[in-house]
Amino acid sequence: MTEHDHPTRQREAFFGRLKGPRLRDRQQSLVDELLPRLAVDLSNPAPDDLSALFDGRGDGVRLEIGFGGGEHLHHESGRHPNMGFIGVEPFLNGMAKMLVALDEAPRPNLRLFDDDATLLLDWLPEASLSGIDLFYPDPWPKKRHFKRRFVNQRNLDRFARVLKPGAPFRFASDIDSYVNWTLLHCRDHADFEWPASGPDDWHLPYEGWPGTRYEAKAKREGRRPAYLTFRRR
């Protein structure tokens, strides 16, 4: 039987572009040489203890899905050197920006994945993550594209499977319809709760938040971000 006799899984939750403008020589070199050293390899079974991916760092493992240019992920992994971080970004140019940052300021506690996040979520062991961040995902604002939004019942099931009890799922967006969509989906999911008690719980950025270029653009254009935090029951 040849490899063509086996069906291969297609991307389930990434619908955007995979590439933008041509990479600079330095960026391409880092994609070719540094990314393979930092990439999570799904061809091997996941370790029972994810700290094995980070030389035994014992303060837990956090996942950021769609890190864009990597500003927040690079910042957070530097603030918490004893915690492991996994960053997902299928868009090649965003990954290249992160690799330049890591070449200049390495993070031994950071691993990367450059494909659909659902592949990684399905590979991870149960109750293995101390947090999931999803910041400024593509809002797919047209109603016919709502099914492409990353927040949906199936992906919340995935989050619930891999998050430890009490661990946060954090979601930030400047698009009101996506904020409301996420609130409704998490409200209707038995494994998540929204412990907010007042406007500061969604108007104020997260502790230590460095901001992102996308967020700065949204504010310039008059859109106010919301910062939601849900908890795994």
Side-chain angles (χ1 to χ4, degrees):
M1 182 176 286
T2 70
E3 62 179 354
H4 300 293
D5 295 318
H6 296 279
T8 58
R9 174 173 169 178
Q10 301 298 312
R11 290 186 177 89
E12 177 181 326
F14 184 78
F15 299 94
R17 294 182 303 156
L18 292 175
K19 295 181 181 180
R22 183 177 182 275
L23 299 181
R24 299 184 182 93
D25 289 345
R26 179 189 180 194
Q27 291 176 319
Q28 187 62 60
S29 177
L30 291 169
V31 168
D32 294 339
E33 298 174 13
L34 180 57
L35 179 57
R37 301 204 300 268
L38 299 179
V40 178
D41 183 3
L42 303 196
S43 67
N44 295 315
D48 293 333
D49 183 353
L50 284 186
S51 68
L53 298 176
F54 309 95
D55 299 325
R57 287 174 172 80
D59 288 353
V61 177
R62 288 166 50 186
L63 171 66
E64 183 169 338
I65 296 172
F67 58 70
E71 301 100 325
H72 174 265
L73 182 57
H74 192 261
H75 174 79
E76 282 293 279
S77 56
R79 286 208 312 144
H80 302 285
N82 292 320
M83 176 169 280
F85 289 82
I86 302 174
V88 178
E89 183 51 69
F91 184 54
L92 179 62
N93 299 67
M95 180 63 76
K97 289 178 181 177
M98 169 61 93
L99 292 170
V100 170
L102 291 173
D103 190 45
E104 296 173 354
R107 298 286 190 261
N109 58 330
L110 177 59
R111 297 292 178 268
L112 302 172
F113 185 67
D114 63 348
D115 207 334
D116 188 333
T118 62
L119 297 168
L120 178 70
L121 287 165
D122 291 344
W123 177 83
L124 291 168
E126 292 186 16
S128 58
L129 294 181
S130 298
I132 294 176
D133 292 336
L134 180 64
F135 298 143
Y136 298 100
D138 194 321
W140 296 108
K142 295 180 181 179
K143 188 172 182 180
R144 69 176 183 271
H145 292 152
F146 281 2
K147 62 182 179 294
R148 297 183 177 185
R149 288 177 168 177
F150 196 86
V151 175
N152 57 46
Q153 179 72 29
R154 187 169 184 180
N155 285 337
L156 289 176
D157 288 345
R158 288 181 164 110
F159 287 3
R161 188 187 72 82
V162 299
L163 282 171
K164 298 176 181 179
F169 159 43
R170 303 194 301 178
F171 174 92
S173 178
D174 60 307
I175 305 300
D176 290 344
S177 69
Y178 204 176
V179 172
N180 293 335
W181 168 280
T182 300
L183 285 168
L184 290 173
H185 276 73
C186 288
R187 181 201 66 182
D188 293 341
H189 198 288
D191 291 324
F192 289 96
E193 60 180 352
W194 187 40
S197 59
D200 283 354
D201 290 316
W202 61 88
H203 286 326
L204 294 181
Y206 305 111
E207 186 271 329
W209 178 255
T212 70
R213 282 171 286 183
Y214 180 87
E215 180 182 66
K217 179 176 182 290
K219 289 180 176 179
R220 288 195 304 270
E221 295 175 356
R223 296 188 300 276
R224 185 175 188 178
Y227 308 89
L228 308 179
T229 300
F230 304 95
R231 294 281 173 187
R232 171 69 165 92
R233 295 183 190 274

